[in-house]
Amino acid sequence: MTVACAPGKIILVGEHAVVYGRPAVAVPVSQVRAEATVEDAEEGQGVIIAAADLGLTLSLMQREPDRAPHPLEVTVTGVLEHLGLSTEENLTITVKSTVPIARGLGSGAAVSTAVTRAVAQHFSVELTSEEVSGLVYEVERLHHGTPSGIDNTVIAYERPVYFIRGERLETFQVGRALSLVIGDTGVSSPTREVVGAVRQAWQRARERYEDLFDRVGAIAVDVRQAMESGDLGTVGLMMDENHRLLQEMDVSSPLLDSLVDVAKRRGALGAKLSGAGRGGNMIALVSAETRDGVQRALASAGAQCVIHTEVLPETGPTLCLASSSAPAKTDDGMI
Ligand code: PMV
Protein backbone atom coordinates (compact mmCIF):
# COMPACT_ATOMS: atom_id res chain seq x y z
CA MET A 1 0.00 0.00 0.00
CA THR A 2 1.34 3.43 -0.95
CA VAL A 3 0.14 6.81 0.36
CA ALA A 4 0.88 10.29 -0.98
CA CYS A 5 -0.44 13.75 -0.13
CA ALA A 6 -0.68 17.23 -1.57
CA PRO A 7 -1.65 20.62 -0.11
CA GLY A 8 -4.14 23.26 -1.22
CA LYS A 9 -3.13 26.73 -2.46
CA ILE A 10 -4.19 30.34 -2.18
CA ILE A 11 -3.36 33.49 -4.15
CA LEU A 12 -1.47 35.90 -1.89
CA VAL A 13 -1.41 38.93 -4.23
CA GLY A 14 -1.99 39.75 -7.89
CA GLU A 15 -5.35 38.19 -8.76
CA HIS A 16 -7.15 39.66 -11.81
CA ALA A 17 -4.11 41.74 -12.84
CA VAL A 18 -2.43 38.38 -13.56
CA VAL A 19 -4.99 37.77 -16.32
CA TYR A 20 -3.59 40.91 -17.99
CA GLY A 21 0.04 39.84 -17.88
CA ARG A 22 1.06 41.24 -14.48
CA PRO A 23 2.79 39.02 -11.89
CA ALA A 24 1.02 37.25 -9.02
CA VAL A 25 2.19 35.31 -5.96
CA ALA A 26 0.50 32.13 -4.67
CA VAL A 27 1.41 29.99 -1.65
CA PRO A 28 0.69 26.39 -0.61
CA VAL A 29 -1.91 25.79 2.10
CA SER A 30 -0.43 22.79 3.88
CA GLN A 31 -3.04 22.57 6.64
CA VAL A 32 -5.58 21.15 4.20
CA ARG A 33 -4.53 18.14 2.16
CA ALA A 34 -5.58 15.60 -0.42
CA GLU A 35 -4.45 12.06 0.23
CA ALA A 36 -4.33 9.10 -2.19
CA THR A 37 -3.75 5.46 -1.28
CA VAL A 38 -2.84 2.82 -3.88
CA GLU A 39 -3.20 -0.93 -3.27
CA ASP A 40 -2.71 -3.94 -5.51
CA ALA A 41 -6.01 -5.54 -6.49
CA GLU A 42 -6.95 -8.98 -7.73
CA GLU A 43 -6.29 -10.03 -11.31
CA GLY A 44 -8.94 -8.80 -13.73
CA GLN A 45 -10.21 -5.93 -11.56
CA GLY A 46 -8.43 -3.19 -13.48
CA VAL A 47 -8.15 0.25 -11.89
CA ILE A 48 -10.87 1.22 -9.41
CA ILE A 49 -10.84 4.75 -7.99
CA ALA A 50 -12.88 5.25 -4.83
CA ALA A 51 -13.55 8.79 -3.62
CA ALA A 52 -16.08 8.29 -0.83
CA ASP A 53 -16.15 12.02 0.05
CA LEU A 54 -17.35 12.75 -3.47
CA GLY A 55 -19.70 9.77 -3.53
CA LEU A 56 -17.73 8.40 -6.48
CA THR A 57 -16.47 4.98 -7.50
CA LEU A 58 -14.89 4.85 -10.94
CA SER A 59 -13.68 1.87 -12.95
CA LEU A 60 -11.24 2.58 -15.77
CA MET A 61 -12.18 -0.68 -17.52
CA GLN A 62 -15.93 -0.16 -17.26
CA ARG A 63 -16.27 3.48 -18.22
CA GLU A 64 -19.34 4.03 -20.42
CA PRO A 65 -17.89 5.19 -23.76
CA ASP A 66 -20.25 8.18 -24.06
CA ARG A 67 -19.28 9.58 -20.62
CA ALA A 68 -16.44 12.13 -20.59
CA PRO A 69 -13.66 10.83 -18.36
CA HIS A 70 -13.60 12.20 -14.82
CA PRO A 71 -10.46 14.22 -13.90
CA LEU A 72 -9.44 11.39 -11.57
CA GLU A 73 -9.58 8.89 -14.45
CA VAL A 74 -7.54 11.24 -16.64
CA THR A 75 -5.02 11.62 -13.82
CA VAL A 76 -4.52 7.87 -13.38
CA THR A 77 -4.34 7.18 -17.12
CA GLY A 78 -1.83 10.03 -17.53
CA VAL A 79 0.55 8.84 -14.85
CA LEU A 80 0.37 5.15 -15.87
CA GLU A 81 1.17 6.10 -19.46
CA HIS A 82 3.97 8.40 -18.29
CA LEU A 83 5.47 5.43 -16.40
CA GLY A 84 5.16 3.23 -19.51
CA LEU A 85 2.60 1.00 -17.77
CA SER A 86 -0.69 -0.41 -18.97
CA THR A 87 -3.93 1.31 -17.98
CA GLU A 88 -5.16 -2.21 -17.23
CA GLU A 89 -3.04 -2.61 -14.11
CA ASN A 90 -5.01 -4.04 -11.17
CA LEU A 91 -5.14 -1.28 -8.58
CA THR A 92 -7.52 0.16 -6.01
CA ILE A 93 -6.95 3.89 -5.51
CA THR A 94 -8.64 5.58 -2.57
CA VAL A 95 -8.87 9.36 -2.51
CA LYS A 96 -9.64 11.59 0.48
CA SER A 97 -9.32 15.34 0.78
CA THR A 98 -9.79 18.07 3.35
CA VAL A 99 -9.27 20.80 0.72
CA PRO A 100 -12.60 22.67 0.45
CA ILE A 101 -14.05 22.21 -3.01
CA ALA A 102 -14.60 25.08 -5.46
CA ARG A 103 -13.33 27.73 -3.01
CA GLY A 104 -10.19 28.84 -4.87
CA LEU A 105 -8.03 26.49 -2.79
CA GLY A 106 -6.97 24.26 -5.68
CA SER A 107 -8.82 21.11 -4.61
CA GLY A 108 -8.74 19.57 -8.11
CA ALA A 109 -4.99 20.03 -8.54
CA ALA A 110 -4.38 18.78 -4.98
CA VAL A 111 -6.25 15.53 -5.58
CA SER A 112 -4.57 14.99 -8.97
CA THR A 113 -1.14 15.64 -7.43
CA ALA A 114 -1.71 13.17 -4.58
CA VAL A 115 -2.94 10.47 -7.01
CA THR A 116 -0.07 11.04 -9.45
CA ARG A 117 2.55 10.75 -6.71
CA ALA A 118 0.91 7.74 -5.05
CA VAL A 119 0.63 5.76 -8.31
CA ALA A 120 4.26 6.50 -9.25
CA GLN A 121 5.52 5.61 -5.76
CA HIS A 122 3.52 2.39 -5.86
CA PHE A 123 5.67 1.35 -8.81
CA SER A 124 8.79 2.58 -6.97
CA VAL A 125 9.22 5.66 -9.16
CA GLU A 126 9.88 9.00 -7.45
CA LEU A 127 8.70 11.63 -9.92
CA THR A 128 10.25 15.11 -9.76
CA SER A 129 7.96 18.00 -8.78
CA GLU A 130 8.36 19.27 -12.34
CA GLU A 131 7.08 15.98 -13.76
CA VAL A 132 4.15 15.88 -11.32
CA SER A 133 3.28 19.50 -12.07
CA GLY A 134 3.35 18.82 -15.83
CA LEU A 135 1.10 15.77 -15.54
CA VAL A 136 -1.40 17.60 -13.33
CA TYR A 137 -1.37 20.57 -15.72
CA GLU A 138 -2.57 18.25 -18.50
CA VAL A 139 -5.53 17.18 -16.34
CA GLU A 140 -6.33 20.82 -15.50
CA ARG A 141 -6.10 21.73 -19.18
CA LEU A 142 -8.65 19.11 -20.19
CA HIS A 143 -11.13 20.23 -17.57
CA HIS A 144 -10.61 23.98 -17.24
CA GLY A 145 -9.69 25.07 -20.77
CA THR A 146 -6.66 27.33 -20.41
CA PRO A 147 -5.50 27.19 -16.80
CA SER A 148 -2.70 29.53 -15.85
CA GLY A 149 -0.60 26.69 -14.43
CA ILE A 150 -0.36 28.32 -11.02
CA ASP A 151 -2.36 25.66 -9.13
CA ASN A 152 -0.41 22.63 -10.35
CA THR A 153 2.92 24.43 -9.79
CA VAL A 154 2.37 25.75 -6.27
CA ILE A 155 0.80 22.44 -5.20
CA ALA A 156 3.30 20.04 -6.81
CA TYR A 157 6.33 22.01 -5.55
CA GLU A 158 4.61 22.94 -2.26
CA ARG A 159 6.44 26.24 -2.40
CA PRO A 160 5.49 29.87 -3.03
CA VAL A 161 5.24 30.68 -6.71
CA TYR A 162 5.87 33.93 -8.57
CA PHE A 163 3.91 33.80 -11.74
CA ILE A 164 3.54 35.79 -14.97
CA ARG A 165 1.11 34.40 -17.51
CA GLY A 166 2.84 32.70 -20.42
CA GLU A 167 6.24 32.82 -18.73
CA ARG A 168 8.08 30.15 -16.80
CA LEU A 169 6.83 29.92 -13.22
CA GLU A 170 9.38 30.61 -10.51
CA THR A 171 9.20 28.97 -7.11
CA PHE A 172 10.94 30.67 -4.19
CA GLN A 173 11.48 30.30 -0.45
CA VAL A 174 10.34 32.62 2.30
CA GLY A 175 13.00 34.15 4.58
CA ARG A 176 10.65 33.93 7.59
CA ALA A 177 7.54 31.84 8.20
CA LEU A 178 4.31 33.42 6.99
CA SER A 179 1.29 32.76 9.19
CA LEU A 180 -1.99 33.16 7.33
CA VAL A 181 -5.61 32.94 8.36
CA ILE A 182 -8.07 32.18 5.55
CA GLY A 183 -11.70 33.15 6.07
CA ASP A 184 -14.37 31.80 3.76
CA THR A 185 -17.41 34.05 3.15
CA GLY A 186 -19.44 30.96 2.26
CA VAL A 187 -20.65 32.92 -0.78
CA SER A 188 -20.01 31.03 -3.98
CA SER A 189 -18.67 33.23 -6.73
CA PRO A 190 -17.68 31.52 -10.00
CA THR A 191 -14.24 32.76 -11.08
CA ARG A 192 -15.32 32.85 -14.72
CA GLU A 193 -18.14 35.34 -13.99
CA VAL A 194 -16.02 37.74 -11.99
CA VAL A 195 -13.21 37.60 -14.56
CA GLY A 196 -15.84 38.39 -17.23
CA ALA A 197 -17.15 41.37 -15.26
CA VAL A 198 -13.62 42.75 -14.88
CA ARG A 199 -13.10 42.35 -18.62
CA GLN A 200 -16.23 44.37 -19.37
CA ALA A 201 -15.16 47.08 -16.96
CA TRP A 202 -11.67 47.11 -18.54
CA GLN A 203 -13.21 47.48 -21.99
CA ARG A 204 -15.21 50.49 -20.78
CA ALA A 205 -12.33 52.17 -18.92
CA ARG A 206 -9.14 50.71 -20.31
CA GLU A 207 -6.74 53.35 -19.06
CA ARG A 208 -8.03 53.26 -15.49
CA TYR A 209 -7.91 49.46 -15.31
CA GLU A 210 -4.47 49.24 -16.93
CA ASP A 211 -3.24 51.62 -14.24
CA LEU A 212 -4.85 49.48 -11.50
CA PHE A 213 -3.24 46.35 -12.97
CA ASP A 214 0.17 48.07 -13.12
CA ARG A 215 -0.09 49.00 -9.44
CA VAL A 216 -1.07 45.43 -8.51
CA GLY A 217 1.83 44.08 -10.58
CA ALA A 218 4.27 46.33 -8.72
CA ILE A 219 2.86 45.00 -5.44
CA ALA A 220 3.52 41.38 -6.51
CA VAL A 221 7.17 42.26 -7.26
CA ASP A 222 7.58 43.94 -3.84
CA VAL A 223 5.77 41.16 -1.99
CA ARG A 224 8.02 38.47 -3.43
CA GLN A 225 11.09 40.45 -2.40
CA ALA A 226 9.69 41.11 1.09
CA MET A 227 8.76 37.42 1.52
CA GLU A 228 12.26 36.33 0.51
CA SER A 229 13.89 38.75 2.94
CA GLY A 230 11.41 37.99 5.74
CA ASP A 231 10.02 41.54 5.89
CA LEU A 232 6.51 40.63 7.03
CA GLY A 233 5.55 44.24 7.80
CA THR A 234 5.96 45.14 4.12
CA VAL A 235 4.07 42.01 3.01
CA GLY A 236 1.15 43.10 5.24
CA LEU A 237 1.12 46.70 3.97
CA MET A 238 1.19 45.46 0.39
CA MET A 239 -1.73 43.10 1.06
CA ASP A 240 -3.76 46.05 2.39
CA GLU A 241 -2.90 48.12 -0.68
CA ASN A 242 -3.79 45.19 -2.98
CA HIS A 243 -7.20 44.93 -1.30
CA ARG A 244 -7.85 48.65 -1.93
CA LEU A 245 -7.00 48.17 -5.60
CA LEU A 246 -9.31 45.13 -5.80
CA GLN A 247 -12.08 47.29 -4.30
CA GLU A 248 -11.42 49.81 -7.05
CA MET A 249 -11.76 47.00 -9.59
CA ASP A 250 -15.18 46.37 -8.04
CA VAL A 251 -14.51 42.73 -7.10
CA SER A 252 -14.88 43.04 -3.34
CA SER A 253 -18.18 42.76 -1.45
CA PRO A 254 -19.56 44.17 1.82
CA LEU A 255 -18.89 40.84 3.59
CA LEU A 256 -15.32 40.58 2.25
CA ASP A 257 -14.66 44.20 3.26
CA SER A 258 -16.04 43.66 6.74
CA LEU A 259 -13.97 40.47 7.27
CA VAL A 260 -10.87 42.34 6.09
CA ASP A 261 -11.66 45.22 8.50
CA VAL A 262 -12.26 42.84 11.40
CA ALA A 263 -8.93 41.09 10.80
CA LYS A 264 -7.09 44.42 10.68
CA ARG A 265 -8.76 45.70 13.83
CA ARG A 266 -7.70 42.48 15.60
CA GLY A 267 -4.08 43.22 14.73
CA ALA A 268 -3.47 41.42 11.43
CA LEU A 269 -0.38 42.77 9.63
CA GLY A 270 -2.35 42.82 6.39
CA ALA A 271 -5.61 41.50 4.96
CA LYS A 272 -7.29 41.24 1.58
CA LEU A 273 -9.73 39.24 -0.47
CA SER A 274 -8.11 36.31 -2.28
CA GLY A 275 -9.01 34.79 -5.65
CA ALA A 276 -11.78 36.04 -7.88
CA GLY A 277 -13.64 38.03 -5.20
CA ARG A 278 -17.31 39.04 -4.73
CA GLY A 279 -17.45 35.96 -2.48
CA GLY A 280 -14.98 33.18 -1.81
CA ASN A 281 -12.08 33.77 0.57
CA MET A 282 -10.18 36.52 2.32
CA ILE A 283 -6.75 36.13 3.90
CA ALA A 284 -5.01 37.82 6.82
CA LEU A 285 -1.31 37.83 7.69
CA VAL A 286 -1.03 37.24 11.44
CA SER A 287 1.60 36.74 14.14
CA ALA A 288 1.66 34.13 16.90
CA GLU A 289 0.10 36.78 19.19
CA THR A 290 -2.73 37.88 16.89
CA ARG A 291 -3.62 34.54 15.28
CA ASP A 292 -6.23 33.28 17.76
CA GLY A 293 -7.95 36.65 18.10
CA VAL A 294 -8.17 37.10 14.32
CA GLN A 295 -9.50 33.56 13.83
CA ARG A 296 -12.19 34.02 16.50
CA ALA A 297 -13.15 37.49 15.27
CA LEU A 298 -13.56 36.26 11.68
CA ALA A 299 -15.75 33.37 12.78
CA SER A 300 -18.00 35.68 14.80
CA ALA A 301 -18.11 38.24 11.97
CA GLY A 302 -19.68 35.65 9.64
CA ALA A 303 -16.83 33.61 8.09
CA GLN A 304 -18.21 30.12 7.38
CA CYS A 305 -14.91 28.37 7.71
CA VAL A 306 -11.58 29.65 9.05
CA ILE A 307 -8.30 27.89 8.25
CA HIS A 308 -4.86 28.71 9.61
CA THR A 309 -1.79 27.86 7.56
CA GLU A 310 1.93 28.53 7.68
CA VAL A 311 4.33 28.93 4.79
CA LEU A 312 7.67 27.83 6.16
CA PRO A 313 11.23 28.45 4.94
CA GLU A 314 12.75 25.34 3.34
CA THR A 315 9.46 23.83 2.32
CA GLY A 316 8.90 21.34 -0.44
CA PRO A 317 6.76 18.24 -0.93
CA THR A 318 6.27 16.74 2.51
CA LEU A 319 5.11 13.44 3.89
CA CYS A 320 1.42 12.99 4.61
CA LEU A 321 0.11 14.59 7.75
CA ALA A 322 -2.61 12.68 9.55
CA SER A 323 -5.75 13.20 7.51
CA SER A 324 -8.79 14.74 9.12
CA SER A 325 -12.41 15.41 8.31
CA ALA A 326 -14.11 15.13 4.93
CA PRO A 327 -14.44 18.18 2.66
CA ALA A 328 -17.58 19.85 1.44
CA LYS A 329 -19.01 18.13 -1.61
CA THR A 330 -20.42 19.71 -4.74
CA ASP A 331 -23.63 18.35 -6.23
CA ASP A 332 -21.98 17.28 -9.44
CA GLY A 333 -19.28 15.30 -7.67
CA MET A 334 -16.56 17.49 -9.18
CA ILE A 335 -13.28 17.98 -7.37
O1 PMV B 1 -10.02 31.88 -6.90
P1 PMV B 1 -9.09 31.31 -7.90
O2 PMV B 1 -7.98 30.51 -7.32
O3 PMV B 1 -9.83 30.64 -9.02
O4 PMV B 1 -8.33 32.57 -8.53
C1 PMV B 1 -8.82 33.38 -9.55
C2 PMV B 1 -7.71 34.31 -9.92
C3 PMV B 1 -8.02 35.25 -11.05
O5 PMV B 1 -6.87 36.07 -11.21
C4 PMV B 1 -9.19 36.16 -10.70
C5 PMV B 1 -8.33 34.54 -12.35
C6 PMV B 1 -7.16 33.82 -12.97
O6 PMV B 1 -7.38 33.01 -13.89
O7 PMV B 1 -6.00 34.09 -12.64
Side-chain angles (χ1 to χ4, degrees), residues 22-311:
R22 278 41 165 217
V25 173
V27 294
V29 177
S30 301
Q31 272 61 26
V32 288
R33 300 186 83 78
E35 180 185 297
T37 306
V38 181
E39 289 168 278
D40 286 324
E42 62 190 38
E43 194 57 40
Q45 175 194 283
V47 176
I48 299 255
I49 308 163
D53 301 335
L54 301 169
L56 271 182
T57 305
L58 303 159
S59 164
L60 277 198
M61 284 208 311
Q62 284 163 23
R63 182 169 73 79
E64 310 81 63
D66 52 346
R67 178 175 63 77
H70 189 276
L72 285 170
E73 294 171 318
V74 180
T75 302
V76 174
T77 308
V79 61
L80 287 173
E81 284 173 354
H82 182 80
L83 298 172
L85 296 167
S86 156
T87 54
E88 291 177 6
E89 293 289 336
N90 299 300
L91 300 171
T92 299
I93 303 173
T94 312
V95 180
K96 291 194 283 189
S97 173
T98 56
V99 185
I101 294 163
R103 318 298 309 167
L105 285 166
S107 69
V111 167
S112 288
T113 299
V115 168
T116 300
R117 280 224 174 87
V119 170
Q121 280 168 16
H122 194 70
F123 293 98
S124 306
V125 179
E126 200 63 50
L127 296 176
T128 63
S129 297
E130 188 177 358
E131 281 174 290
V132 173
S133 180
L135 288 165
V136 174
Y137 181 75
E138 288 308 313
V139 181
E140 299 265 288
R141 211 162 62 79
L142 269 178
H143 292 275
H144 303 292
T146 50
S148 58
I150 204 162
D151 283 20
N152 48 286
T153 306
V154 68
I155 288 170
Y157 284 84
E158 203 160 346
R159 283 199 185 147
V161 160
Y162 177 84
F163 168 71
I164 301 174
R165 199 175 185 140
E167 290 185 19
R168 203 181 145 75
L169 290 132
E170 293 170 37
T171 59
F172 64 96
Q173 306 267 19
V174 291
R176 258 174 80 189
L178 229 67
S179 184
L180 290 171
V181 171
I182 304 168
D184 187 347
T185 59
V187 177
S188 100
S189 170
T191 298
R192 198 179 305 128
E193 281 173 25
V194 191
V195 169
V198 170
R199 181 157 299 274
Q200 281 180 0
W202 170 75
Q203 279 162 347
R204 282 195 300 268
R206 227 170 249 243
E207 220 170 294
R208 188 165 93 78
Y209 271 76
E210 284 294 330
D211 176 55
L212 291 171
F213 298 151
D214 280 344
R215 285 152 69 193
V216 171
I219 285 175
V221 174
D222 288 351
V223 161
R224 175 188 179 165
Q225 226 165 44
M227 286 168 78
E228 286 178 320
S229 65
D231 180 358
L232 301 185
T234 298
V235 176
L237 288 174
M238 293 288 147
M239 287 169 67
D240 293 344
E241 179 57 18
N242 195 171
H243 185 71
R244 281 191 283 276
L245 295 169
L246 287 160
Q247 285 174 317
E248 286 194 48
M249 283 178 213
D250 195 25
V251 296
S252 193
S253 72
L255 180 53
L256 280 166
D257 287 346
S258 88
L259 293 178
V260 165
D261 279 354
V262 162
K264 287 292 296 177
R265 269 189 274 120
R266 282 303 180 115
L269 289 164
K272 63 182 278 293
L273 72 84
S274 173
R278 297 200 176 161
N281 290 298
M282 53 72 65
I283 51 175
L285 180 64
V286 294
S287 62
E289 293 72 39
T290 56
R291 172 189 159 180
D292 284 350
V294 169
Q295 280 192 262
R296 272 198 302 271
L298 288 176
S300 34
Q304 301 291 302
C305 169
V306 181
I307 295 170
H308 172 256
T309 193
E310 286 202 337
V311 184

